[in-house]
Amino acid sequence: MAVRVLVIGSGGREHTLAWKLAQSQNVRHVIVAPGNAGTANNEKISNSGKAVSVTDYTLLAQFCKDQKIELVVVGPEAPLAAGIVENLTSAGVKCFGPTAEAAQLESSKKFAKEFMDRHEIPTAKWKAFTTPEEACNFVMSADFPALVIKASGLAAGKGVIVASNKEEACKAIQEIMQDKAFGAAGDTVVIEEVLEGEEVSCLCFTDGKTVALMPPAQDHKRLLDGDHGPNTGGMGAYCPTPQVPMDLLLKIKNTILQRTVDGMRQEGIPYIGILYAGIMLTKNGPKVLEFNCRFGDPECQVILPLLKSDFYEVIQSILDGQLSNSLPVWLEDSTAVTVVMASKGYPANYIKGIEITGIPEAKALGLEVFQAGTALKEDKIVTNGGRVLTVTAIQRDLMSALEEANKGIAIIKFEGAIYRKDIGYRAISFLKRPRGLTYKESGVDIAAGNELVKKIKPLAKATSRPGCNVDLGGFAGLFDLKAAGYKDPLLASGTDGVGTKLKIAQQCNKHDTIGQDLVAMCVNDILAQGAEPLFFLDYFSCGKLDIHTAETIIAGIAKACEEAGCALLGGETAEMPGIYPPGEYDLAGFAVGAMERDQKLPQLDRITEGDVIIGIASSGVHSNGFSLVRKIVENSSVQLSSLVPDGCGNQTLGELLLNPTKIYSRTLLPILRSGHVKAFAHITGGGLLENIPRVLPEKLGVDLDARCWKIPRIFSWLQHEGHLSEEEMAKTFNCGIGAVMVVQKDLAEQVLKDIHQHKEEAWIIGNVVTCPTGCSPVKVKHLIQTMQINGSFSLVNDSLKDCFGVQPKRARVAVLISGTGTNLQSLIDSTKEPTSFAQIVIVISNKDGVAGLEKAEKAGIPTKVINHKLYKSRTEFDSEIDKVLEEFSIDLICLAGFMRILSHPFVQKWNGKILNIHPSLLPSFKGSNAHEQVLKSGVRITGCTVHFVAEEVDAGQIIAQEAVPVLRGDTIGTLSERVKIAEHKIFPAALQLVANGTVKLGGNGKICWTKEE
């Protein structure tokens, strides 16, 4: 069913967002708040008018519910930095964009630079200052040209001054810090070195894990042609930029964008939405100038028209965390140019209300006109801002697109209009440079291939063995069977791949174990013939060769060959542009082995009813069934990056699934050649049901009992999450058995002992039986039953903790409320996380029918109403609460807007177990009117404090605090809203510290930190 969408903002960017969303069949109507003349009553698009305030998030949330808005898309940076996403989300309204904490990448230049340093993201040298004297001294003494002066906070895209000398830089510092040219945004300045090169804009979509690149663009900041005149918000842009070829774009993705998204996730601040990196292409490689947390303007007007995919569906895939399964598609062989028309006097003072004509005529030429600073006056479109509108043209090449855009500019008229005619001139100059076409420009980098061979030669050389001295580079590899000791040999060969386990490796960016999977899949297959693996060949194919990734994979292959006892004799690296998407690759392997003629397996004529089946342990899922595994993970509540609970090491789910396939040749070949083994089966694709019959004679089958072997708990989780039948498990997965042997019953114990001596885990798991025609040759008893016992499910939910080993004890928490339950939703959300050390088991209110009870019930948490008016004293009332707490075996109590003072006996009994939050930095500003006290005092910093509850109000020991700046012009309402955002962050964090035992109240009544913070 088609939905209604709200776009926040009023510029050309927001007109473009609404225009693109309205193209979706999934969208019934787009409302823009507040919007402009271009978004007023335009088919599927209309403005909100004065019906809603976009700064009062409570009212905005109610407006969304009243208007049945199902998605909010935020255009400008200020609402994102102010916390619009988390506020609307907590109110039950979907909102697209990063949280305020994640948006610090733009809202705090200092945060962004420190973050880049922590995660080794290339950027300019820098330092931050809070006093103009220190800043100016640094400019004068720095050992690099420290001439870029930036206001650290948000300055509407205008807070950067690039000085031409040190004196000019100091003047800029004075203007920003003392004269407050950019207001509070300039309280801290960041001083950077001047970077030289070409500046480009590289944007991407991200769901917090996957990065989906947009085509790169280039903005033009100067007002006039030839990059003359003052700096502006942007006078035009073009996309894509020919100066950024695909290999460079992939480098920017891997070293900047992906590293940023990964780093934010590692720091517990998932970044979801649009990530914009302003990049300088220096002689030392791409470096970050700045991050933005949203589309640029005019970059949005030039990039989104090239998006071929449904924009609404792209946003939904991001919000669902499924971007990797629904990557956006872009128009190919197309270039877009956007030209901005501005008011006379811009970027300084300008006149509003001037009539605009010619927009319908420009659109009739097939151009897109996105309005920004416009308004409706007596049914006429008039100017209402500095940058008035943009004209976008899409053509096959840059020159044609610029010509078409300039035609539109010539048609549209308003008095004093300013615009540039040379948008894209740098790219045009770049394209006109004389040069011949090269193989590298077609997408194949021979030099990179040669470099890879140079790196992997010693790796392959190390796998040399009798019969083969590896030396890569020839047309073919040779193997001497006589030198290997064979007299009357048979050769066995096998080829295989790794399947869609590769997707897991690519999504986790972990490529060091996938090579062992490739070798194991091939050598284990030829081992089933009784063959010793002699040599191995690999095939690695990709769209664009990444030397580091390829080297990592082939190093894994070489290491696995050594483990298997075979030589890595050669291989093929195929770079095939257009066949594979960026970052993806495929693998195939080919193994050749040998055995003496009388050692060939299986020995079908020796296998009889009553023979014993020995199962050899697998290391996990190995390399089969991963299309089903990926579907199960996709439909579950966990992600590949989710941590596996205690008992399974420090792995993530992705790392656990990537445990490499076991190689059995070195350990099991001596046993296979002992004469005691009649058959050996590798449990590969087809699972237990389809692989064992491959080594049995007709009319014989096997009966297996799953109680006889240890099933890794990953299989229990897969079965539970996927609701898989017993047959589906047995025909898809190895279920803990990587290989089986058929042996004579009276030799079984000896063979089992030999296997154990070779450090493999194995069990007698079944018998050979007669199998009537038409019956299944493999029967597995008690498989699901054993998995369910093995899984140790204590709760039937979607958490990994259900089945991955013993989980840590979770503190049982009661939350006491009196109304909406301030902070209740944030506490609920945090305790629902799989890694939480706390769980809310009861919510108690002293008032009936309040919103907090509804929140609890919606989350499936039991509730209880205890009306304080029915009790004669506080002690009686608290005693009744205490009974409920005892009934639910409560460990900790959180007060979330609980408006009753607790009695002495209650506080004494629960001393060190009650947490409360106060909206100031205690011990300052105690009591109920903290915000009023703060504003009256004139302090510039306030915040919130989580503390243990003591008998004296707001006097308990402090657990955690979060600072919030007091802004000029703050009211009690605006300050309260910002402090609430901090509360939603710090209260859950403090609860986790107490629940996991990191913080407790000591015997002396003081805070005691029992672990590292």
Side-chain angles (χ1 to χ4, degrees), residues 127-143:
K127 197 165 184 181
F129 298 92
T130 55
T131 66
E133 295 79 14
E134 289 181 348
C136 199
N137 288 340
F138 178 75
V139 167
M140 292 299 182
S141 61
D143 58 359

PDB file of all heavy atoms in Angstrom, residues 127-143:
ATOM      1  N   LYS A 127      44.801  21.033  14.441  1.00  0.00           N
ATOM      2  CA  LYS A 127      44.753  21.190  15.886  1.00  0.00           C
ATOM      3  C   LYS A 127      43.557  22.082  16.222  1.00  0.00           C
ATOM      4  O   LYS A 127      43.192  22.969  15.434  1.00  0.00           O
ATOM      5  CB  LYS A 127      46.045  21.801  16.421  1.00  0.00           C
ATOM      6  CG  LYS A 127      46.220  21.598  17.928  1.00  0.00           C
ATOM      7  CD  LYS A 127      47.640  21.881  18.383  1.00  0.00           C
ATOM      8  CE  LYS A 127      47.783  21.570  19.872  1.00  0.00           C
ATOM      9  NZ  LYS A 127      49.156  21.854  20.358  1.00  0.00           N
ATOM     10  N   ALA A 128      42.944  21.852  17.387  1.00  0.00           N
ATOM     11  CA  ALA A 128      41.755  22.613  17.795  1.00  0.00           C
ATOM     12  C   ALA A 128      42.107  23.555  18.938  1.00  0.00           C
ATOM     13  O   ALA A 128      42.971  23.247  19.779  1.00  0.00           O
ATOM     14  CB  ALA A 128      40.641  21.666  18.216  1.00  0.00           C
ATOM     15  N   PHE A 129      41.414  24.696  18.988  1.00  0.00           N
ATOM     16  CA  PHE A 129      41.677  25.700  20.017  1.00  0.00           C
ATOM     17  C   PHE A 129      40.378  26.327  20.493  1.00  0.00           C
ATOM     18  O   PHE A 129      39.401  26.433  19.736  1.00  0.00           O
ATOM     19  CB  PHE A 129      42.596  26.808  19.469  1.00  0.00           C
ATOM     20  CG  PHE A 129      43.952  26.313  19.034  1.00  0.00           C
ATOM     21  CD1 PHE A 129      44.160  25.937  17.712  1.00  0.00           C
ATOM     22  CD2 PHE A 129      44.977  26.181  19.950  1.00  0.00           C
ATOM     23  CE1 PHE A 129      45.391  25.448  17.304  1.00  0.00           C
ATOM     24  CE2 PHE A 129      46.218  25.700  19.542  1.00  0.00           C
ATOM     25  CZ  PHE A 129      46.433  25.330  18.223  1.00  0.00           C
ATOM     26  N   THR A 130      40.391  26.769  21.778  1.00  0.00           N
ATOM     27  CA  THR A 130      39.218  27.451  22.341  1.00  0.00           C
ATOM     28  C   THR A 130      39.518  28.904  22.699  1.00  0.00           C
ATOM     29  O   THR A 130      38.634  29.611  23.170  1.00  0.00           O
ATOM     30  CB  THR A 130      38.719  26.709  23.597  1.00  0.00           C
ATOM     31  OG1 THR A 130      39.814  26.581  24.526  1.00  0.00           O
ATOM     32  CG2 THR A 130      38.192  25.323  23.237  1.00  0.00           C
ATOM     33  N   THR A 131      40.760  29.338  22.473  1.00  0.00           N
ATOM     34  CA  THR A 131      41.091  30.754  22.681  1.00  0.00           C
ATOM     35  C   THR A 131      41.787  31.290  21.442  1.00  0.00           C
ATOM     36  O   THR A 131      42.627  30.598  20.845  1.00  0.00           O
ATOM     37  CB  THR A 131      42.017  30.953  23.901  1.00  0.00           C
ATOM     38  OG1 THR A 131      43.287  30.351  23.646  1.00  0.00           O
ATOM     39  CG2 THR A 131      41.407  30.316  25.155  1.00  0.00           C
ATOM     40  N   PRO A 132      41.489  32.533  21.054  1.00  0.00           N
ATOM     41  CA  PRO A 132      42.089  33.089  19.826  1.00  0.00           C
ATOM     42  C   PRO A 132      43.600  33.270  19.956  1.00  0.00           C
ATOM     43  O   PRO A 132      44.324  33.155  18.970  1.00  0.00           O
ATOM     44  CB  PRO A 132      41.360  34.430  19.650  1.00  0.00           C
ATOM     45  CG  PRO A 132      40.773  34.745  20.988  1.00  0.00           C
ATOM     46  CD  PRO A 132      40.502  33.445  21.653  1.00  0.00           C
ATOM     47  N   GLU A 133      44.091  33.548  21.172  1.00  0.00           N
ATOM     48  CA  GLU A 133      45.529  33.769  21.338  1.00  0.00           C
ATOM     49  C   GLU A 133      46.309  32.493  21.015  1.00  0.00           C
ATOM     50  O   GLU A 133      47.293  32.518  20.250  1.00  0.00           O
ATOM     51  CB  GLU A 133      45.831  34.224  22.774  1.00  0.00           C
ATOM     52  CG  GLU A 133      45.249  35.583  23.146  1.00  0.00           C
ATOM     53  CD  GLU A 133      43.765  35.516  23.488  1.00  0.00           C
ATOM     54  OE1 GLU A 133      43.259  34.378  23.702  1.00  0.00           O
ATOM     55  OE2 GLU A 133      43.112  36.568  23.517  1.00  0.00           O
ATOM     56  N   GLU A 134      45.868  31.368  21.584  1.00  0.00           N
ATOM     57  CA  GLU A 134      46.559  30.096  21.335  1.00  0.00           C
ATOM     58  C   GLU A 134      46.464  29.713  19.863  1.00  0.00           C
ATOM     59  O   GLU A 134      47.422  29.204  19.273  1.00  0.00           O
ATOM     60  CB  GLU A 134      45.944  28.990  22.200  1.00  0.00           C
ATOM     61  CG  GLU A 134      46.263  29.118  23.674  1.00  0.00           C
ATOM     62  CD  GLU A 134      45.636  27.982  24.481  1.00  0.00           C
ATOM     63  OE1 GLU A 134      44.784  27.261  23.917  1.00  0.00           O
ATOM     64  OE2 GLU A 134      45.989  27.830  25.655  1.00  0.00           O
ATOM     65  N   ALA A 135      45.290  29.968  19.272  1.00  0.00           N
ATOM     66  CA  ALA A 135      45.096  29.616  17.866  1.00  0.00           C
ATOM     67  C   ALA A 135      46.044  30.411  16.977  1.00  0.00           C
ATOM     68  O   ALA A 135      46.683  29.864  16.061  1.00  0.00           O
ATOM     69  CB  ALA A 135      43.642  29.865  17.466  1.00  0.00           C
ATOM     70  N   CYS A 136      46.147  31.714  17.235  1.00  0.00           N
ATOM     71  CA  CYS A 136      46.998  32.567  16.396  1.00  0.00           C
ATOM     72  C   CYS A 136      48.477  32.212  16.589  1.00  0.00           C
ATOM     73  O   CYS A 136      49.244  32.197  15.621  1.00  0.00           O
ATOM     74  CB  CYS A 136      46.749  34.031  16.742  1.00  0.00           C
ATOM     75  SG  CYS A 136      47.315  35.150  15.440  1.00  0.00           S
ATOM     76  N   ASN A 137      48.877  31.897  17.824  1.00  0.00           N
ATOM     77  CA  ASN A 137      50.263  31.485  18.075  1.00  0.00           C
ATOM     78  C   ASN A 137      50.599  30.221  17.292  1.00  0.00           C
ATOM     79  O   ASN A 137      51.702  30.073  16.759  1.00  0.00           O
ATOM     80  CB  ASN A 137      50.484  31.240  19.573  1.00  0.00           C
ATOM     81  CG  ASN A 137      50.513  32.539  20.367  1.00  0.00           C
ATOM     82  OD1 ASN A 137      50.742  33.603  19.802  1.00  0.00           O
ATOM     83  ND2 ASN A 137      50.249  32.451  21.670  1.00  0.00           N
ATOM     84  N   PHE A 138      49.637  29.312  17.227  1.00  0.00           N
ATOM     85  CA  PHE A 138      49.860  28.062  16.495  1.00  0.00           C
ATOM     86  C   PHE A 138      50.046  28.344  15.003  1.00  0.00           C
ATOM     87  O   PHE A 138      50.924  27.767  14.363  1.00  0.00           O
ATOM     88  CB  PHE A 138      48.673  27.118  16.705  1.00  0.00           C
ATOM     89  CG  PHE A 138      48.790  25.822  15.946  1.00  0.00           C
ATOM     90  CD1 PHE A 138      49.652  24.822  16.361  1.00  0.00           C
ATOM     91  CD2 PHE A 138      48.034  25.605  14.804  1.00  0.00           C
ATOM     92  CE1 PHE A 138      49.773  23.636  15.658  1.00  0.00           C
ATOM     93  CE2 PHE A 138      48.131  24.426  14.092  1.00  0.00           C
ATOM     94  CZ  PHE A 138      49.009  23.433  14.526  1.00  0.00           C
ATOM     95  N   VAL A 139      49.211  29.248  14.449  1.00  0.00           N
ATOM     96  CA  VAL A 139      49.341  29.600  13.034  1.00  0.00           C
ATOM     97  C   VAL A 139      50.740  30.110  12.735  1.00  0.00           C
ATOM     98  O   VAL A 139      51.359  29.755  11.726  1.00  0.00           O
ATOM     99  CB  VAL A 139      48.268  30.646  12.645  1.00  0.00           C
ATOM    100  CG1 VAL A 139      48.593  31.257  11.277  1.00  0.00           C
ATOM    101  CG2 VAL A 139      46.884  30.023  12.630  1.00  0.00           C
ATOM    102  N   MET A 140      51.247  30.945  13.635  1.00  0.00           N
ATOM    103  CA  MET A 140      52.559  31.556  13.401  1.00  0.00           C
ATOM    104  C   MET A 140      53.711  30.571  13.549  1.00  0.00           C
ATOM    105  O   MET A 140      54.762  30.732  12.924  1.00  0.00           O
ATOM    106  CB  MET A 140      52.753  32.728  14.385  1.00  0.00           C
ATOM    107  CG  MET A 140      51.820  33.898  14.103  1.00  0.00           C
ATOM    108  SD  MET A 140      52.111  34.579  12.435  1.00  0.00           S
ATOM    109  CE  MET A 140      50.959  35.951  12.401  1.00  0.00           C
ATOM    110  N   SER A 141      53.528  29.526  14.366  1.00  0.00           N
ATOM    111  CA  SER A 141      54.653  28.634  14.676  1.00  0.00           C
ATOM    112  C   SER A 141      54.544  27.246  14.051  1.00  0.00           C
ATOM    113  O   SER A 141      55.497  26.465  14.141  1.00  0.00           O
ATOM    114  CB  SER A 141      54.771  28.471  16.197  1.00  0.00           C
ATOM    115  OG  SER A 141      53.576  27.885  16.717  1.00  0.00           O
ATOM    116  N   ALA A 142      53.435  26.908  13.431  1.00  0.00           N
ATOM    117  CA  ALA A 142      53.240  25.547  12.903  1.00  0.00           C
ATOM    118  C   ALA A 142      54.265  25.227  11.825  1.00  0.00           C
ATOM    119  O   ALA A 142      54.692  26.116  11.067  1.00  0.00           O
ATOM    120  CB  ALA A 142      51.836  25.407  12.334  1.00  0.00           C
ATOM    121  N   ASP A 143      54.645  23.922  11.756  1.00  0.00           N
ATOM    122  CA  ASP A 143      55.638  23.506  10.759  1.00  0.00           C
ATOM    123  C   ASP A 143      54.981  23.107   9.440  1.00  0.00           C
ATOM    124  O   ASP A 143      55.593  22.441   8.613  1.00  0.00           O
ATOM    125  CB  ASP A 143      56.489  22.362  11.305  1.00  0.00           C
ATOM    126  CG  ASP A 143      55.652  21.159  11.695  1.00  0.00           C
ATOM    127  OD1 ASP A 143      54.411  21.225  11.550  1.00  0.00           O
ATOM    128  OD2 ASP A 143      56.236  20.155  12.153  1.00  0.00           O
TER     129      ASP A 143
END
